[in-house]
Amino acid sequence: FFERKVHGENSWGFRLGRQAICYGDNRIFGPGDWGNTGRYTWDGLKVRKRVRRRNFDFLVAKRILYDPKYFDDEHYDFTTYACYAQCGVNNEAKDLFWIYKSDDNELSGERRHTLGLHRKIKQNSWDLSSTFAFQFGDHGADTVRAYGLHVGAKFKLVSTKGSTLALDYAMASGDSSPSDGKTETFDGVFGAVDKYYGRMNVVSWMNIEDWQFTVTTKPSKKLHLSASTHWFHLNQEKDSWYFRTGKPVAHDPSGLSGNYVGREIDLILKWAINSELELLAGRCHFSPGTFSKNMGIDGGADWTFIQFICRF
């Protein structure tokens, strides 16, 4: 890639070529480099203008289509245009964004706008965050009208060093009537795959309601532990349960199978062994809910991972 970095106030910069695109809490644009699927790497142009400690970015890019057998020079058949403004003062951050996704297929393709706001406030022992996004446009012959949101609060326990309690709620609209000529299923934009909606990535930010409770603690400077529980429900019972890639896992068009997808528990350990070596390990379990069982998914799922990072 070619890059000119921003230096000082009222300056501008750009990056042209291969790049990751990340903003805010990575819920709208994130690196997505945790799993084999859902990774986001782009070929494109990002132009940045800095004015009074505010960054204004303008982007046009195409997402890389990964193929393990060939060099990664192919792209998905859509182009993304975006404007992203970051405004931060002291312990407050406010991001405004517009994203346009245009498919090359004129008949069955998609032309979807995402317009939204991300806000984060730090006050004393509290961290508050929220994101709202509204989508409109066309998907084939249907019009698009969808929305997604997230609200979260994290509290730092003063009596216990390094411990926090957090409660989050994320929702993405589903299609209440798939045959009415209107698409109401929210598209999960390009958020990070490893940070939200469970480490197992059994759901995506599409037709979902996710209640999350998280406890973290640091017994020492080098050791970090976290435990989180997710409760997943469909937003609309006649719409699908979508996997992390956006593909439907199960669908009951009658809407009679309920909306409780299931519960996921994630236990994560992070240990900085020394300045060069770091260990990340986790144990996760998914328990199917009423909807999953009615769709023939009776057994639970377990996932364990161990990862070492060596810096040299």
Side-chain angles (χ1 to χ4, degrees):
F1 61 86
F2 299 91
E3 183 176 34
R4 181 186 191 273
K5 294 186 177 181
V6 174
H7 297 283
E9 291 295 322
N10 299 317
S11 61
W12 66 276
F14 73 90
R15 175 176 285 194
L16 175 64
R18 185 65 51 88
Q19 55 192 287
I21 302 175
C22 310
Y23 290 105
D25 61 354
N26 291 336
R27 193 177 294 271
I28 299 298
F29 272 110
D33 55 1
W34 169 256
N36 261 344
T37 61
R39 292 181 290 172
Y40 300 121
T41 306
W42 304 84
D43 283 338
L45 171 65
K46 177 172 68 175
V47 178
R48 169 167 293 184
K49 178 66 175 180
R50 178 174 294 173
V51 181
R52 296 178 182 178
R53 293 189 298 177
R54 296 177 174 87
N55 292 324
F56 298 90
D57 288 2
F58 306 90
L59 304 103
V60 54
K62 293 187 74 69
R63 182 184 166 195
I64 288 295
L65 180 62
Y66 286 99
D67 190 323
K69 296 182 180 180
Y70 303 98
F71 182 73
D72 51 354
D73 58 347
E74 297 294 328
H75 302 87
Y76 283 87
D77 58 354
F78 64 84
T79 304
T80 297
Y81 305 86
C83 295
Y84 204 104
Q86 295 176 293
C87 309
V89 179
N90 297 328
N91 290 325
E92 295 189 25
K94 182 188 295 183
D95 296 354
L96 301 172
F97 53 85
W98 165 78
I99 302 161
Y100 178 58
K101 180 180 178 181
S102 176
D103 197 310
D104 296 337
N105 192 317
E106 295 294 332
L107 296 177
S108 61
E110 183 177 16
R111 291 155 293 277
R112 184 184 296 248
H113 299 262
T114 302
L115 187 65
L117 165 72
H118 168 67
R119 186 79 183 273
K120 188 171 184 178
I121 301 174
K122 292 184 179 181
Q123 189 174 23
N124 298 326
S125 298
W126 290 92
D127 287 356
L128 307 175
S129 62
S130 63
T131 301
F132 178 79
F134 175 70
Q135 295 181 337
F136 59 95
D138 302 293
H139 191 177
D142 293 351
T143 59
V144 174
R145 295 292 184 273
Y147 62 95
L149 63 88
H150 163 262
V151 290
K154 182 167 66 175
F155 178 71
K156 298 179 182 178
L157 299 176
V158 179
S159 58
T160 306
K161 185 177 180 180
S163 297
T164 65
L165 302 176
L167 180 64
D168 293 86
Y169 172 72
M171 189 273 285
S173 63
D175 203 335
S176 59
S177 181
S179 60
D180 64 354
K182 184 167 61 175
T183 298
E184 299 172 297
T185 304
F186 183 77
D187 177 273
V189 204
F190 306 111
V193 300
D194 59 330
K195 194 172 183 181
Y196 305 112
Y197 326 119
R199 281 275 181 170
M200 296 179 71
N201 293 326
V202 296
V203 304
S204 63
W205 201 19
M206 302 173 66
N207 187 39
I208 201 69
E209 296 184 19
D210 174 19
W211 286 96
Q212 176 184 350
F213 178 71
T214 305
V215 179
T216 65
T217 185
K218 294 181 68 174
S220 67
K221 292 182 178 181
K222 295 185 176 183
L223 190 62
H224 182 275
L225 305 173
S226 70
S228 61
T229 303
H230 297 260
W231 291 270
F232 301 122
H233 293 78
L234 299 179
N235 179 256
Q236 295 293 333
E237 297 175 358
K238 292 184 179 181
D239 201 348
S240 299
W241 162 16
Y242 294 92
F243 190 56
R244 182 62 191 87
T245 57
K247 300 296 183 182
V249 178
H251 179 212
D252 180 5
S254 70
L256 300 178
S257 295
N259 65 2
Y260 180 36
V261 175
R263 181 188 65 191
E264 179 178 332
I265 298 176
D266 300 334
L267 304 176
I268 308 296
L269 178 149
K270 187 175 182 180
W271 178 24
I273 301 172
N274 52 47
S275 59
E276 292 84 22
L277 190 62
E278 181 179 280
L279 166 68
L280 182 67
R283 173 70 173 175
C284 310
H285 177 76
F286 175 78
S287 302
T290 306
F291 173 82
S292 303
K293 293 178 180 179
N294 288 336
M295 298 303 296
I297 304 173
D298 294 325
D302 294 284
W303 185 55
T304 303
F305 70 89
I306 299 176
Q307 171 183 290
F308 286 96
I309 296 178
C310 184
R311 299 177 179 89
F312 54 91

